Amino acid sequence: MSMTALKGDTAFQARSLFRSLLRQSSQFAAYNFREYAKRRTRDAFREHRAETEEGKVQELMQKGLKELQVLKRQTVVSQFFQLDRLVVEGGKSGKQTGDRNDIIRQTTE
């Protein structure tokens, strides 16, 4: 196998890992955890975008795979503790009432 094909395969694996991490991150029930996981994934891949040393790339890929396994476990656990959707997520909205213009969450179920 040529070196070019090997690098292409590694690039494909890295893109596949990136998509898997983002896909798994979107499975979090809580908005803040979901957005943090997506942001952390994008930042980590941006930080190491220019890495060319083969040993370091393989080390980073292994670390990414471990992170993917952690995300899978955490998303399952987070789905046990679902909360109401936040206003920033869309869907349900608050209603201002009272003297201090407090927002009271309304549930329509």
Side-chain angles (χ1 to χ4, degrees):
M1 184 183 313
S2 71
M3 201 59 178
T4 307
L6 184 62
K7 289 185 184 221
D9 188 43
T10 303
F12 176 78
Q13 289 175 349
R15 283 191 300 272
S16 178
L17 177 61
F18 179 73
R19 286 191 301 268
S20 295
L21 285 164
L22 287 179
R23 195 175 307 116
Q24 193 64 42
S25 298
S26 67
Q27 298 296 314
F28 274 106
Y31 173 81
N32 289 327
F33 289 128
R34 186 169 54 243
E35 293 304 311
Y36 173 78
K38 288 180 196 176
R39 186 175 58 249
R40 180 66 187 107
T41 299
R42 285 190 300 266
D43 290 347
F45 272 81
R46 266 189 215 120
E47 180 183 344
H48 300 290
R49 177 187 306 175
E51 189 64 53
T52 57
E53 185 183 329
E54 194 63 33
K56 180 70 172 172
V57 170
Q58 289 302 319
E59 180 184 325
L60 290 168
M61 290 291 290
Q62 291 301 316
K63 183 178 177 185
L65 290 170
K66 287 180 184 177
E67 290 296 321
L68 180 60
Q69 295 302 316
V70 169
L71 274 178
K72 285 181 179 182
R73 288 191 302 269
Q74 289 299 317
T75 53
V76 169
V77 171
S78 79
Q79 290 170 357
F80 290 132
F81 303 103
Q82 291 185 353
L83 302 172
D84 293 336
R85 293 175 62 96
L86 300 175
V87 173
V88 294
E89 294 179 89
K92 299 177 184 174
S93 60
K95 178 181 177 184
Q96 291 184 341
T97 60
D99 298 333
R100 300 183 330 219
N101 292 328
D102 293 335
I103 293 180
I104 299 174
R105 191 175 305 220
Q106 295 177 339
T107 57
T108 55
E109 295 176 12

